[in-house]
Amino acid sequence: MNQIALPANATPSTGPSALSTTTLNGGVRVRSAHDCWYPPAVHPTDLLHVDFDVHAVQTAGLYLVEEVSGANVLWRGCRRYRVDPLTKHVELDADGEGSWMAADVPSWRIAGKVLQVYRPTA
């Protein structure tokens, strides 16, 4: 069995309610990517090292997002974001393959920034 070395300050969190709990508590945590299918960057068997204190896109990278309606989370997932160097507008990669578009999805919120993706090797 392969083992993954996790950062010393990472706290594991798993299960369907893990994202909401860790988002409210903030901090840097490791969580399952079971609800973050976004190939090729993230597969459901991966682990995500996430900074839940980040709630806005300021640098390019992979972010954990939630679609919300009122107080309800309808969907969770990962998306790559970047800041266009010419316009300074935030863009998202809609399909994970480089289909960049304006990141003006009002019902989405940034739940955290993915610092590292850990993928099983066996």
Side-chain angles (χ1 to χ4, degrees):
M1 177 174 138
N2 294 326
Q3 294 188 2
I4 299 172
L6 300 176
N9 64 340
T11 305
S13 58
T14 59
S17 64
L19 184 57
S20 296
T21 301
T22 52
T23 299
L24 292 174
N25 294 335
V28 176
R29 302 186 190 277
V30 174
R31 72 177 303 276
S32 167
H34 71 278
D35 56 357
C36 294
W37 179 255
Y38 185 62
V42 179
H43 297 162
T45 56
D46 295 342
L47 292 176
L48 305 174
H49 182 206
V50 182
D51 183 346
F52 286 101
D53 291 326
V54 175
H55 299 290
V57 176
Q58 295 180 357
T59 60
L62 188 63
Y63 288 82
L64 207 52
V65 296
E66 297 175 323
E67 181 177 4
V68 293
S69 175
N72 300 315
V73 175
L74 305 176
W75 171 84
R76 296 180 179 109
C78 290
R79 290 294 181 269
R80 284 191 308 155
Y81 284 81
R82 70 179 184 189
V83 179
D84 183 281
L86 298 176
T87 65
K88 306 297 184 208
H89 294 125
V90 176
E91 299 176 327
L92 69 92
D93 181 0
D95 61 6
E97 299 287 339
S99 297
W100 294 98
M101 60 181 272
D104 57 357
V105 184
S107 61
W108 285 15
R109 68 181 175 199
I110 301 295
K113 183 170 185 180
V114 177
L115 304 174
Q116 182 72 41
V117 176
Y118 297 98
R119 183 156 297 153
T121 58

